[in-house]
Amino acid sequence: MSKVLAVDLGGTQLRAGLCAAAAPAAVEHIGAWPAPKGLDGFREAIARMAHDHGAERFGVSVPGTARGTRCLWIPNLPWLDGVDLAGLFPNLSIGLGQDAQLALLAEVSAGAAKGLSDAMLVAIGTGIGSAVLSGSRIMRGGQGTACSFGWACADLDDEGHDRDGWLERQASGRAFDAIGRQAGFSDGRGLLAAARAGNATAIDALARPAKALGVSLATAVALLDPQTVILAGGVAEAADVLVPMVRAAMEKQLPPHLRRVRIEAGSFGKDASLVGAAFAGARGQQWDEIR
């Protein structure tokens, strides 16, 4: 039976799992390690795991842009820029994708968006990742970064930034941390926990980032008409607090027929990109077509 080595490669950590190609949703964790410091370390780690576990397929989620089997721009792991994984691992069938796109692949294949033809995922962690399913196909775009909503902007006076989009500066995990500390809480988690407990100061502090998310999502919903919007990443744990605030801001910017779109937390939590990597590894380079 063909086996898939699934890897969720982040800027600071490499997480790996193993599954049968016929059952990607059942991927089992085999370990987590600090992200490799260079290409040689990455090659050695993957080759060793594939050999030890008898994997013939390799699915990998990366925090940046990719096309086919080639990494294009990986800001936090620049040693991967321009690297063709097929050249590194000639004996493995490869499914490579951007982390948010593979998180959506997991949700569409076996999670919150299963059976849908049109959906959108927004992953709020250190930054904001996003992906779109349209007509039963995950949109990748010419540079592999279609629908990067972290770069959506609702401020005509904003001067822009080379590394962080406007929405990321308003409502990413880093933004929630800063807002939380300013409001007297330990960080973003402390802020969200206090809001869930009904703390009025915390709820007031969430008003601006929630509005930024709602206005930006309204633009995306108006353009794409998804059946559901899935929240992923660490902030999704506070969906019960955030969703009503985000929806209120979003609905003000939408016509009546689009206001019924669902907003919900994903099914796989922090494992979404790893599960998606398993599906990509099982399907190969055409993983974006949902069967």
Side-chain angles (χ1 to χ4, degrees), residues 101-212:
Q101 292 172 356
L102 293 193
L104 179 57
L105 176 62
E107 298 292 351
V108 171
S109 300
K114 185 176 180 180
L116 301 183
S117 62
D118 295 83
M120 190 170 84
L121 178 139
V122 179
I124 304 174
T126 303
I128 294 180
S130 50
V132 164
L133 176 79
S134 180
S136 297
R137 184 166 188 165
I138 293 177
M139 300 172 66
R140 291 204 250 181
Q143 300 298 318
T145 59
C147 307
S148 296
F149 296 122
W151 293 88
C153 181
D155 182 353
L156 294 179
D157 296 322
D158 187 76
E159 296 182 357
H161 192 279
D162 285 344
R163 293 183 64 87
D164 298 306
W166 178 84
L167 186 57
E168 288 183 317
R169 284 178 271 130
Q170 308 302 312
S172 68
R174 285 172 294 181
F176 277 103
D177 285 341
I179 292 167
R181 287 191 290 269
Q182 187 175 4
F185 301 96
S186 57
D187 54 17
R189 286 185 178 276
L191 172 69
L192 292 168
R196 295 184 76 184
N199 183 288
T201 299
I203 293 171
D204 287 346
L206 287 176
R208 180 174 175 80
K211 184 175 182 179

Side-chain angles (χ1 to χ4, degrees), residues 43-279:
R43 180 194 294 112
E44 291 169 7
I46 299 305
R48 181 177 64 252
M49 285 190 284
H51 177 269
D52 290 349
H53 295 283
E56 300 170 357
R57 298 174 178 270
F58 177 38
V60 56
S61 156
V62 294
T65 65
R67 185 192 299 126
T69 60
R70 185 179 295 276
C71 297
L72 300 179
W73 180 55
I74 317 295
N76 294 318
L77 302 169
W79 44 266
L80 269 176
D81 290 353
V83 173
D84 188 347
L85 299 188
L88 285 185
F89 311 110
N91 296 322
L92 297 176
S93 171
I94 295 171
L96 165 68
Q98 186 242 22
D99 47 10
Q101 292 172 356
L102 293 193
L104 179 57
L105 176 62
E107 298 292 351
V108 171
S109 300
K114 185 176 180 180
L116 301 183
S117 62
D118 295 83
M120 190 170 84
L121 178 139
V122 179
I124 304 174
T126 303
I128 294 180
S130 50
V132 164
L133 176 79
S134 180
S136 297
R137 184 166 188 165
I138 293 177
M139 300 172 66
R140 291 204 250 181
Q143 300 298 318
T145 59
C147 307
S148 296
F149 296 122
W151 293 88
C153 181
D155 182 353
L156 294 179
D157 296 322
D158 187 76
E159 296 182 357
H161 192 279
D162 285 344
R163 293 183 64 87
D164 298 306
W166 178 84
L167 186 57
E168 288 183 317
R169 284 178 271 130
Q170 308 302 312
S172 68
R174 285 172 294 181
F176 277 103
D177 285 341
I179 292 167
R181 287 191 290 269
Q182 187 175 4
F185 301 96
S186 57
D187 54 17
R189 286 185 178 276
L191 172 69
L192 292 168
R196 295 184 76 184
N199 183 288
T201 299
I203 293 171
D204 287 346
L206 287 176
R208 180 174 175 80
K211 184 175 182 179
L213 280 168
V215 170
S216 297
L217 285 177
T219 301
V221 169
L223 288 171
L224 298 162
D225 188 16
Q227 294 159 286
T228 189
V229 176
I230 298 169
L231 295 181
V235 173
E237 297 173 3
D240 55 337
V241 174
L242 281 174
V243 167
M245 302 173 75
V246 170
R247 178 175 288 283
M250 184 179 74
E251 288 183 351
K252 290 181 179 179
Q253 305 296 330
L254 286 174
H257 69 281
L258 290 176
R259 293 174 187 167
R260 294 187 297 273
V261 63
R262 299 200 310 270
I263 307 177
E264 57 190 314
S267 300
F268 292 106
K270 66 180 182 180
D271 286 337
S273 292
L274 183 66
V275 177
F279 273 100

